[in-house]
Amino acid sequence: MTERISELARKLKRIVGDTHVLEATDLTLSYATDWTGRFRGHTPIVVRPADTSELAQVVTLTGEAELKIVPQGGNTGLVGGGVPLNGEVVLSTTRLDQCEPVDQLAQQVTLGAGVTLARAQAHVAPSDLDIGVDLAARDSCTIGGMIATNAGGINVLRYGAMRDQLLGLEAVLADGSIISHLEGLEKDNTGYHFPSLFAGSEGTLGIITKARLRLHPHMAERCTAMLAFSTVDDAVAATSALRRSVPSLHAVEVVFRAAMHLVSEHIDSSIPVGPKSDAWLIVEAAASSDPTEELASAIDKLGTLVTDVGVALDGQHRNNLWQYREKVTEAISVKGTPHKLDVTLGASKLAEFVHQVPSVVSEQDEDASVYMFGHLGDGNVHVNVLGKDGSEPSELVDEAVLEYVAKLGGSISAEHGVGSAKRDLLHLNRSHTEISAFRLIKHALDPHRVLNPHVLLPKEDS
Ligand SMILES: Cc1cc2nc3c(=O)[nH]c(=O)nc-3n(C[C@H](O)[C@H](O)[C@H](O)COP(=O)(O)OP(=O)(O)OC[C@H]3O[C@@H](n4cnc5c(N)ncnc54)[C@H](O)[C@@H]3O)c2cc1C
């Protein structure tokens, strides 16, 4: 095995250059540990190809050496899908960072898979256009990783998830062959739609190298408000009313009590409105002309549902309100290593779920603490569970919470994917027949299981 690895490293260096094949543990360590610190693996080689042709050769050679590959972008994934938990070779896409000129006529752009979201946003901004998906990991997460996880984020209620932005894709398949369809035609019914298949495939079907994205007109005028609610039910009812009455609605984010108190302590700033509330919404309206009147009138109509409101009209105050949502993840990570359970519930089940989860958790681990927040406009709640003194909680917690989600008809993965964390619980949402069909697709595109063989599909498939 060692000889096979050394031989592969020698061949890879000839393709990508010596400096882009990393073997020493101190150099590979950060590629083998995930953002949360929960998932730690090891790898014999990290390889960083510069373009599609190099990447295809890397895949071919690694397959010939009978080694497995974990594709990795920004390594901000939260389900243990992008780290080598079983000694795989890590194929980092960060050097595939070319941004092609914006097609202003079509309002589209083609980007390399390793371009970070923040860079993509900056690239299209001078054309007064925006990328449809936005999320707090924007400085590190990559376009390829976002497609592979079908990332959601804060604007799904307006523009949809990553899958909805995709007009074309280039990818390297497990045998090193390349599929490319980047014309960006809005109508193109010429057979199976690879972008749809690859969105959410978590690196199991091919390695995305380029994507053609639909862009959206930049909404320069914004109004952001923080709304306080004495009950979770009121926050859910208000979200529904706002979705109906504010055409320029851009985001409806939620922070529940424990998470709000934690983030306020973390950023050393008091809770701006209704400090004794159970839930807070951060609501943003965005349009080409000032949406303040529209949002203010809709909030007014919520009447006694809302107990307190704070409105931000300029950039500085907007950022101030947003940090109570965007810094929650960081605040939790500072406290310890959480189990992150990212779920969606139907609107009618959301309040019941939020009320019951702390008891569901404490039945499995009485020392655990629960912090909840999320994208309420999409019914998406992030349940973060810390064990005693910031340690990991019992594994039983994950199963109990996700079983409860499934019982309420929700999804055990809203936007983070399945990864290695939830693969054995996939049956909670997907039938035996569906999982068998998934396996047939995987087998057709990757018969030797070279690409990310330990994620998404349940273990018995190994
Ligand atoms: C602070 C913070 C906030 C976040 N907020 C959100 C949020 O609001 N919404 C949301 O959806 N997610 C969120 N995430 C999760 C994460 O940012 C997303 O899952 C993101 O899409 C991962 O991108 P990445 O480039 O870091 O991928 P990685 O973590 O590197 O990889 C993720 C998965 O994609 C695969 N992959 C990566 N690149 C490729 C490729 N080119 N081809 C094929 N497979 C590939 C990997 O093998 C792995 O399975 C957040 C994470 C953090 C740390």
Side-chain angles (χ1 to χ4, degrees):
M1 180 73 159
T2 323
E3 184 42 41
R4 198 155 23 113
I5 291 167
S6 309
E7 177 63 17
L8 175 64
R10 273 194 294 278
K11 287 181 180 169
L12 294 179
K13 282 176 186 168
R14 282 203 286 274
I15 296 164
V16 304
D18 289 2
T19 49
H20 296 297
V21 177
L22 314 178
E23 295 169 272
T25 312
D26 57 333
L27 298 179
T28 61
L29 200 62
S30 64
Y31 295 85
T33 308
D34 83 319
W35 190 88
T36 63
R38 177 180 172 195
F39 300 99
R40 292 162 190 270
H42 61 96
T43 178
I45 298 173
V46 174
V47 55
R48 302 186 300 212
D51 56 31
T52 306
S53 156
E54 285 189 10
L55 194 146
Q57 293 174 69
V58 168
V59 170
T60 305
L61 286 173
T62 311
E64 281 170 8
E66 294 181 7
L67 290 166
K68 309 294 183 192
I69 295 174
V70 170
Q72 189 180 96
N75 196 11
T76 66
L78 298 173
V79 287
V83 282
L85 297 177
N86 300 276
E88 300 91 340
V89 169
V90 174
L91 193 157
S92 166
T93 60
T94 48
R95 291 177 70 218
L96 296 163
D97 61 353
Q98 306 77 12
C99 298
E100 293 185 14
V102 174
D103 182 340
Q104 309 235 18
L105 217 50
Q107 300 186 21
Q108 299 174 5
V109 69
T110 300
L111 299 169
V115 173
T116 64
L117 173 58
R119 192 151 159 255
Q121 289 169 330
H123 178 65
V124 304
S127 309
D128 263 339
L129 293 165
D130 268 339
I131 307 282
V133 169
D134 189 19
L135 46 104
R138 58 183 77 80
D139 289 329
S140 306
C141 67
T142 62
I143 297 299
M146 291 169 65
I147 297 168
T149 55
N150 190 28
I154 56 185
N155 301 139
V156 171
L157 58 79
R158 189 163 207 178
Y159 301 129
M162 205 58 193
R163 178 176 282 128
D164 303 298
Q165 317 308 318
L166 275 178
L167 286 160
L169 193 88
E170 180 187 88
V172 171
L173 302 182
D175 63 358
S177 57
I178 298 166
I179 52 168
S180 184
H181 202 69
L182 292 164
E183 290 75 12
L185 302 174
E186 288 283 353
K187 287 189 163 180
D188 181 10
N189 284 351
T190 52
Y192 301 130
H193 192 242
F194 284 122
S196 301
L197 186 61
F198 275 63
S201 64
E202 303 188 29
T204 59
L205 301 181
I207 303 181
I208 299 150
T209 48
K210 281 185 190 170
R212 181 84 174 170
L213 299 187
R214 170 178 291 121
L215 300 171
H216 304 272
H218 176 64
M219 300 292 170
E221 301 292 328
R222 281 170 196 240
C223 177
T224 308
M226 184 184 275
L227 280 55
F229 298 88
S230 26
T231 69
V232 174
D233 304 66
D234 289 350
V236 172
T239 301
S240 168
L242 292 169
R243 289 201 67 170
R244 275 198 303 273
S245 59
V246 184
S248 62
L249 199 62
H250 207 61
V252 180
E253 298 288 297
V254 71
V255 183
F256 295 107
R257 188 171 35 186
M260 180 54 98
H261 286 272
L262 184 73
V263 73
S264 151
E265 196 182 299
H266 175 66
I267 60 176
D268 196 19
S269 217
S270 56
I271 300 168
V273 294
K276 297 207 167 115
S277 305
D278 259 10
W280 291 260
L281 290 184
I282 294 172
V283 179
E284 187 157 280
S288 49
S289 57
D290 188 358
T292 306
E293 273 303 313
E294 183 180 289
L295 184 60
S297 138
I299 293 174
D300 208 36
K301 287 196 190 114
L302 295 175
T304 53
L305 270 185
V306 189
T307 57
D308 204 356
V309 182
V311 180
L313 298 173
D314 63 43
Q316 193 192 334
H317 287 107
R318 250 199 324 272
N319 291 343
N320 181 47
L321 289 186
W322 269 109
Q323 65 177 336
Y324 289 87
R325 167 62 183 87
E326 293 215 319
K327 297 239 162 122
V328 179
T329 307
E330 186 181 295
I332 294 167
S333 288
V334 166
K335 236 176 137 48
T337 307
H339 282 198
K340 291 183 165 289
L341 305 169
D342 151 54
V343 304
T344 338
L345 280 305
S348 62
K349 301 289 179 191
L350 267 165
E352 178 184 344
F353 175 77
V354 172
H355 286 306
Q356 289 303 322
V357 158
S359 339
V360 172
V361 168
S362 69
E363 272 168 30
Q364 304 302 329
D365 185 339
E366 58 184 17
D367 298 314
S369 35
V370 182
Y371 302 95
M372 285 184 276
F373 58 98
H375 313 289
L376 203 62
D378 322 316
N380 180 184
V381 181
H382 297 314
V383 181
N384 282 240
V385 188
L386 283 171
K388 194 173 183 183
D389 301 325
S391 61
E392 283 189 49
S394 158
E395 290 285 340
L396 297 174
V397 163
D398 301 31
E399 205 169 325
V401 172
L402 298 179
E403 273 173 5
Y404 180 50
V405 170
K407 199 172 121 202
L408 295 180
S411 167
I412 65 165
S413 174
E415 59 175 12
H416 293 165
V418 175
S420 56
K422 296 179 183 174
R423 59 187 295 208
D424 287 330
L425 296 171
L426 194 59
H427 65 90
L428 292 174
N429 279 149
R430 295 296 196 159
S431 68
H432 178 72
T433 314
E434 282 178 299
I435 293 174
S436 299
F438 284 179
R439 287 184 173 139
L440 289 174
I441 294 169
K442 168 74 175 168
H443 186 74
L445 289 179
D446 183 12
H448 303 297
R449 302 174 50 80
V450 176
L451 301 175
N452 233 358
H454 303 291
V455 306
L456 210 161
L457 291 166
K459 251 188 216 120
E460 47 269 41
D461 191 40
S462 305

